[in-house]
Amino acid sequence: MAKTILITGGAGFIGSNFIRYVLAESDVSVVNLDALTYAGNLENLTAVEGNSRYHFVHGRIENSELVRYICKEFKVDGIINFAAESHVDRSIENAQPFVDTNISGTLALMTIARELCLERFLQVSTDEVYGSLGAHGEFTEESPLAPNSPYAAAKAAADCLVRSFVHTYNFPAVITRCSNNYGAYQFPEKLIPLMILNALENKPLPVYGDGLNVRDWISARDHSAAVWLAYTHGKIGEVYNVGADSERKNIEVIKAILALTGKGEELISYVKDRPGHDRRYAIDSTKIRTELCWKPTVPFENGLAETVKWYQENSEWCAHVRSGEYMKYYKKQYGVRVSVSGKPV
Ligand code: NAD
Ligand code: DAU
């Protein structure tokens, strides 16, 4: 019988990419549990709204009662946890929501998964748990955890909780740690969509520090394929790094975006650096490539060009996100909902 998977954070950038991917590539049913924070946008999922294998529930992953209810009601077989507060700059302003969702939320999900003996739990983590690299080397799964931002610390704490559940309770969990994602539907607080939209609107492109920090880019579609493989074929208790060998300096990415949008470099504006700004990330993904036969399919230059084109062609999505209009979509579409406990979610 086809399986049902609880996807958390499915209205966000990568979660929505994953839901489109998994509904197209498999016969599973999906329940999407999302709190619809500022980063959650149901307009990311209009393509699957009418799909009988897709269900949406509005709520928080910390709400154990709700998670238990969903798992029983939909006969959920396993959980893939994308839900998170995900933006480093916001975590520097206020770490509390990062602790609540990324740590307490992950613990709550695992507790219910264990109670109901679900067959699999996949924690979507990040390369930022490893900290920052110098000019040479790459993160492997054996690199020590050395998170530098409150966001990364909260993700690392969640990874440690997952590890402890595997070790203590034989909990059937797998962790993926991916590098920087890009692609359609990314909220324009992150580097690539922010720079594309600012360039299209002839606004300054704010470069932190000297612009020489390095990130290792991967398309969200390639990440989705890796998560699905790790969920279906990954070994319990293992960590899989995911990356596409596409290291670029921020300023290189920004100049490429200017070229693709036909704008001039006078829009580049160097601004104050991010506090504690990690210098370089680079991922060694040999393990998932050799053990699970995953490989990236989208070369960075092609993927970046496609992404710029997507933002140019989806001006309504961009306008709704820029104006906050997308926040009204849920109310218009679904009306006001309460959780199973009767409290508003
Ligand atoms: P995002 O910020 O775009 O989306 C996060 C989603 O989680 C939103 O839909 C939001 O409404 C939801 N959410 C937040 N708090 C919640 C809660 N308490 N309960 C239920 N839902 C909640 O994030 P993203 O960029 O799509 O990242 C998804 C996951 O992938 C995160 O776990 C992130 O740490 C990880 N990751 C991201 C990247 C990247 O480059 N963006 C790279 C590696 C790993
Ligand atoms: O490495 C994976 C991580 O990548 C994920 O875990 C995070 O969720 C995701 O947000 C991302 O973190 P970064 O901090 O690397 O991404 P961000 O897009 O915020 O920044 C990328 C680089 O660009 C970083 O060096 C900071 C710089 N930057 C960012 C912004 C928003 C700028 O120079 N100017 C900006 O305005």
Side-chain angles (χ1 to χ4, degrees):
M1 205 175 89
K3 306 272 184 189
T4 299
I5 301 173
L6 174 59
I7 308 291
T8 68
F13 162 51
I14 305 171
S16 63
N17 270 278
F18 180 80
I19 288 174
R20 286 191 301 277
Y21 174 86
V22 83
L23 287 175
E25 300 293 326
S26 79
D27 62 354
V28 299
S29 292
V30 161
V31 184
N32 172 17
L33 171 63
D34 197 296
L36 298 181
T37 68
Y38 78 93
N41 181 354
L42 289 176
E43 290 185 39
N44 297 353
L45 289 159
T46 45
V48 299
E49 255 173 17
N51 191 319
S52 59
R53 291 186 288 128
Y54 171 72
H55 311 275
F56 173 70
V57 178
H58 183 200
R60 299 188 66 84
I61 58 172
E62 303 95 299
N63 185 341
S64 303
E65 204 184 336
L66 178 62
V67 173
R68 185 185 294 108
Y69 173 80
I70 293 169
C71 290
K72 287 185 172 173
E73 185 70 15
F74 289 93
K75 298 187 172 49
V76 164
D77 296 287
I79 298 178
I80 302 183
N81 183 26
F82 287 94
E85 288 293 336
S86 70
H87 193 39
V88 172
D89 293 330
R90 288 180 191 258
S91 79
I92 294 167
E93 288 300 313
N94 178 13
Q96 191 60 52
F98 291 75
V99 170
D100 295 343
T101 291
N102 302 4
I103 306 177
S104 303
T106 302
L107 177 60
L109 285 175
M110 288 198 297
T111 303
I112 300 299
R114 200 176 144 245
E115 176 190 309
L116 300 179
C117 300
L118 300 192
E119 64 186 35
R120 196 41 84 104
F121 183 92
L122 187 132
Q123 174 68 1
V124 180
S125 187
T126 168
D127 62 356
E128 294 200 17
V129 298
Y130 298 123
S132 184
L133 291 164
H136 305 288
E138 293 182 326
F139 298 127
T140 71
E141 289 82 357
E142 278 69 49
S143 299
L145 299 187
N148 287 322
S149 69
Y151 160 70
K155 292 295 287 187
D159 284 13
C160 290
L161 280 170
V162 175
R163 180 191 148 92
S164 77
F165 265 54
V166 173
H167 189 79
T168 309
Y169 308 117
N170 212 11
F171 183 67
V174 173
I175 297 175
T176 54
R177 293 188 182 135
C178 190
S179 60
N180 284 64
N181 284 222
Y182 68 93
Y185 301 102
Q186 189 169 27
F187 192 78
E189 62 183 354
K190 308 280 166 65
L191 180 79
I192 288 183
L194 179 74
M195 297 299 161
I196 294 173
L197 292 191
N198 280 14
L200 292 175
E201 293 168 8
N202 294 311
K203 289 185 178 158
L205 272 48
V207 184
Y208 295 164
D210 60 10
L212 300 180
N213 301 66
V214 173
R215 295 295 181 266
D216 191 354
W217 295 96
I218 180 171
S219 83
R221 194 180 190 285
D222 281 337
H223 184 191
S224 294
V227 166
W228 186 229
L229 258 183
Y231 180 83
T232 51
H233 291 84
K235 253 173 62 190
I236 287 171
E238 294 292 317
V239 174
Y240 295 93
N241 281 354
V242 182
D245 291 334
S246 299
E247 284 183 59
R248 299 288 184 282
K249 295 185 182 79
N250 291 340
I251 195 67
E252 291 171 350
V253 174
I254 289 163
K255 286 183 178 172
I257 290 169
L258 285 171
L260 287 163
T261 50
K263 302 297 164 107
E265 292 187 9
E266 67 281 358
L267 287 180
I268 293 174
S269 165
Y270 287 90
V271 299
K272 199 164 149 278
D273 207 355
R274 168 185 282 175
H277 195 174
D278 283 341
R279 193 62 172 169
R280 176 173 164 259
Y281 304 146
I283 274 276
D284 177 343
S285 55
T286 308
K287 181 174 171 181
I288 193 168
R289 290 176 195 237
T290 52
E291 289 185 17
L292 304 184
C293 298
W294 172 85
K295 62 172 193 296
T297 60
V298 187
F300 180 67
E301 274 64 33
N302 300 10
L304 185 65
E306 275 170 29
T307 304
V308 168
K309 191 159 169 270
W310 187 88
Y311 280 89
Q312 283 171 321
E313 288 174 352
N314 288 273
S315 49
E316 199 181 345
W317 183 93
C318 298
H320 286 177
V321 165
R322 288 289 231 202
S323 68
E325 188 69 20
Y326 73 102
M327 300 284 250
K328 294 184 189 153
Y329 180 87
Y330 176 77
K331 244 189 172 158
K332 198 177 82 209
Q333 199 76 355
Y334 300 92
V336 176
R337 293 265 171 100
V338 290
S339 76
V340 284
S341 62
K343 296 185 193 109
V345 286

